[in-house]
Amino acid sequence: MAKIIVVTSGKGGVGKTTSAAAISTGLALRGKKTVVIDFDVGLRNLDLIMGCERRVVYDLVNVIQGEAGLNQALIRDKRVENLFILPASQTRDKDALTQEGVAEILEKLQEDFDFILCDSPAGIERGAQLAMYFADEAIVVTNPEVSSVRDSDRILGLLASKTRRAEQGEDPIKEHLLVTRYNPERVTSGDMLTLDDIREILAINLLGLIPESEAVLRASNQGVPVTHDISSDAGQAYSDTVSRLLGEDMPLRFHELQRKGLLSRMFGGGRR
Amino acid sequence: MSLNVDSAAVAFTFKGGMLPMTVMELSSADPERIRQQLAGKLSQSPAFFQHTPVVLSVEKLDEPHLALERICAVCRDHKLLPVAVRGGTEPVRQSAWALGLGWFPPVEEGRARVLESVTSSPVHEVTREETEVSEAEAPAIATRLYRGTVRSGQQVSASEGDLVVIGAVNAGAEVLAAGSIHVYGALRGRALAGIHGNTHAGIYCRELEAELLSVAGNYKRSEDIDPQLSGRPAEVHFTKEQLEIKPLG
């Protein structure tokens, strides 16, 4: 049975799709059979970041409406084995998604895959709620700024109330915090919230910290998930994040201004 | 009301209710000593003595016979209206009934909570307690306990009693209670205590960063809160016709 993980944030532009692409790539690189689903119907982006936009024939909405089979719509990644993409429709809107349709697709995918990543649209409306509804775990992507933290807080409230696990009284969704676009320099100068501020407000387990990096923009525009760029700080940070998602203990990196000795002492195992 | 088809035929209906009551806990049975103490209190806080209904608690007294009639007269002279007696011996119960007062059984240990006293006094303490007038056997005080973070967009309320939050109340969240609100964490959102008009309700928190504080409809916004109190443990009460925010402890 595959684990269903939603990548969500509430606020737009914080790096949900980048993170969904990078983490699913990381999982596949470690041999986990992974599919990443774009729930942002009408504002399709994941295919661009995964570099498969020219191979999209059928999409999520086609499958839900019975116009195509699931296997016709799944796109196999060219770089990594075990990685598949289910793109969103660019021509429809989010009302084309139905809970039954999504349930059916996830059920079928669960038989074949180890991980199903749902790339949520921004906001808290239908698309976002459907993306999170069936999740077992959630990666909440947050930027070090006040509005992003507040929106993430809102999403955490919805994860605890408006999801299948919450409604059926099962174990709650496992929540992970992923801080992205973290710039230690601007944190030190007071322009950005510190990691400790964010963790104190959101009070959930930290999965990873991705530094603000030129590599991310480059990767997006080239359509190559940044996990492939192992020489970059962001690529390494996503790789660490994937390790933690798989239960490994990794020290936290890139959150302080070039003082590596000190940080490993301060943060011990890197996860608390 | 809509269910009451033949409303002309019904003279009354019984309803359960939780009313805030002042309990006057006697530690002396001497009406003269009570009179002296009450006179002092009346001059300190005249607003309190306005035909306020009180329950005379005699649980702490050892005396089998009480000059209950004289004690009641002293109370009425000072604009306190005894409505019932709590505890005491069988003769005390009989004389309460003879005086037209109700009688309540003594409260088990630990149930009575001293929420507020007009001043600390050896003779009597004014305690406030919810007194229930309903069919239910055990009058449970409905304190709601919430564990975890109250997140932006969430609302947690205790419609009858107090609300205790073990965790933070984040910005954009709202906590409400008919009684007091206790937050064992940071209070960053809105907190409204005494939503049914209980001015004795209070708000207590480990870290004050609230967007809005309100007791019985009297509110302060974050910009009205002294920045010096920000981020510190604080308590909020309604005193002298306004909200008072003080450091806790």
Side-chain angles (χ1 to χ4, degrees):
Chain A
M1 276 289 267
K3 207 177 259 182
I4 303 176
I5 303 177
V6 59
V7 182
T8 185
S9 70
K11 194 173 161 60
V14 296
K16 279 183 298 298
T17 302
T18 300
S19 298
I23 292 170
S24 55
T25 300
L27 287 167
L29 283 169
R30 282 156 212 236
K32 306 289 178 193
K33 197 170 179 196
T34 305
V35 56
V36 53
I37 308 174
D38 191 351
F39 273 81
D40 204 348
V41 177
L43 290 168
R44 194 176 87 193
N45 274 174
L46 182 68
D47 52 325
L48 291 171
I49 293 186
M50 298 293 293
C52 64
E53 72 276 10
R54 278 175 286 178
R55 293 193 286 142
V56 175
V57 182
Y58 296 108
D59 56 51
L60 179 63
V61 173
N62 292 138
V63 179
I64 284 181
Q65 299 189 338
E67 297 156 4
L70 190 52
N71 289 330
Q72 287 176 286
L74 284 175
I75 301 171
R76 183 188 288 271
D77 188 81
K78 273 188 175 164
R79 300 180 192 88
V80 203
E81 226 183 322
N82 293 325
L83 181 58
F84 292 81
I85 300 112
L86 183 54
S89 169
Q90 181 70 353
T91 50
R92 311 290 184 87
D93 61 36
K94 287 163 183 83
D95 293 332
L97 296 177
T98 62
Q99 188 162 309
E100 300 73 37
V102 173
E104 206 176 308
I105 289 177
L106 291 176
E107 211 170 291
K108 279 186 199 160
L109 291 173
Q110 272 191 309
E111 293 166 12
D112 291 339
F113 287 88
D114 299 317
F115 286 94
I116 301 172
L117 266 78
C118 302
D119 179 24
S120 171
I124 54 173
E125 282 76 38
R126 189 177 177 79
Q129 292 204 7
L130 275 175
M132 69 168 71
Y133 189 80
F134 298 98
D136 301 308
E137 299 190 15
I139 297 174
V140 178
V141 183
T142 305
N143 287 171
E145 54 171 292
V146 177
S147 56
S148 175
V149 171
R150 179 169 308 182
D151 290 359
S152 294
D153 194 41
R154 181 88 169 92
I155 283 290
L156 285 165
L158 294 176
L159 285 167
S161 60
K162 295 275 176 71
T163 50
R164 187 187 59 179
R165 280 177 174 267
E167 284 174 6
Q168 301 190 349
E170 295 170 22
D171 290 344
I173 290 179
K174 201 168 165 191
E175 300 152 337
H176 306 279
L177 173 63
L178 180 63
V179 177
T180 55
R181 310 181 84 163
Y182 197 79
N183 185 333
E185 212 166 295
R186 299 191 67 187
V187 168
T188 310
S189 68
D191 292 346
M192 280 184 173
L193 289 179
T194 69
L195 181 61
D196 287 343
D197 287 340
I198 302 170
R199 294 180 70 179
E200 199 199 313
I201 293 172
L202 296 180
I204 56 170
N205 173 53
L206 180 68
L207 181 69
L209 178 135
I210 313 299
E212 189 163 52
S213 165
E214 287 168 14
V216 171
L217 184 65
R218 189 169 58 236
S220 299
N221 286 330
Q222 289 176 351
V224 183
V226 73
T227 325
H228 288 295
D229 187 356
I230 42 168
S231 63
S232 71
D233 47 1
Q236 292 170 20
Y238 272 117
S239 179
D240 289 357
T241 302
V242 170
S243 299
R244 292 189 197 105
L245 193 62
L246 293 172
E248 291 169 41
D249 224 357
M250 302 291 291
L252 198 65
R253 296 194 272 173
F254 312 114
H255 67 297
E256 278 201 343
L257 277 171
Q258 293 143 359
R259 286 191 295 177
K260 283 192 176 172
L262 183 66
L263 71 88
S264 52
R265 255 181 288 142
M266 277 176 69
F267 283 83
R271 280 212 302 168
R272 277 190 299 186
Chain B
M1 276 216 311
S2 57
L3 284 173
N4 213 340
V5 182
D6 195 11
S7 62
V10 177
F12 60 84
T13 50
F14 279 113
K15 289 202 170 165
M18 301 273 285
L19 302 170
M21 284 292 267
T22 301
V23 174
M24 185 167 164
E25 200 168 327
L26 299 179
S27 42
S28 162
D30 181 0
E32 270 318 300
R33 281 188 61 193
I34 296 171
R35 178 189 298 279
Q36 283 166 16
Q37 197 110 26
L38 272 178
K41 294 278 175 290
L42 182 59
S43 57
Q44 280 171 19
S45 43
F48 182 73
F49 297 89
Q50 289 182 339
H51 302 292
T52 311
V54 292
V55 173
L56 296 174
S57 166
V58 299
E59 290 160 278
K60 294 214 169 150
L61 296 181
D62 258 351
E63 301 176 40
H65 294 278
L66 279 177
L68 203 54
E69 196 172 354
R70 281 182 63 202
I71 295 172
C72 287
V74 168
C75 289
R76 287 195 201 98
D77 287 349
H78 293 86
K79 293 196 175 171
L80 290 180
L81 221 60
V83 292
V85 174
R86 192 171 71 189
T89 56
E90 182 61 25
V92 171
R93 173 151 69 150
Q94 293 300 335
S95 55
W97 285 341
L99 287 165
L101 300 175
W103 185 84
F104 288 108
V107 175
E108 315 98 76
E109 276 302 299
R111 263 218 42 220
R113 301 165 304 160
V114 181
L115 285 191
E116 185 179 305
S117 57
V118 171
T119 56
S120 55
S121 122
V123 170
H124 85 268
E125 267 182 350
V126 178
T127 50
R128 205 178 54 78
E129 165 159 311
E130 315 278 7
T131 307
E132 195 184 61
V133 194
S134 80
E135 306 91 316
E137 332 83 75
I141 295 169
T143 293
R144 178 157 182 210
L145 175 66
Y146 183 95
R147 272 179 205 278
T149 309
V150 187
R151 301 195 178 275
S152 183
Q154 289 182 325
Q155 200 181 47
V156 176
S157 70
S159 56
E160 287 188 346
D162 291 357
L163 174 66
V164 176
V165 178
I166 300 183
V169 177
N170 275 352
E174 195 168 70
V175 286
L176 310 104
S180 297
I181 295 172
H182 308 257
V183 180
Y184 294 94
L187 172 54
R188 307 186 182 101
R190 299 154 69 98
L192 294 91
I195 48 173
H196 302 320
N198 181 359
T199 51
H200 297 290
I203 301 169
Y204 311 84
C205 65
R206 279 249 180 99
E207 214 176 293
L208 182 72
E209 314 243 0
E211 292 171 339
L212 183 104
L213 295 165
S214 165
V215 174
N218 304 279
Y219 67 88
K220 274 195 177 177
R221 295 167 300 175
S222 66
E223 59 179 34
D224 308 323
I225 299 171
D226 183 357
Q228 294 216 309
L229 293 165
S230 167
R232 299 176 55 194
E235 59 177 307
V236 183
H237 291 281
F238 182 67
T239 42
K240 300 189 189 111
E241 303 301 307
Q242 62 170 350
L243 272 200
E244 191 189 5
I245 309 171
K246 313 188 283 196
L248 190 62

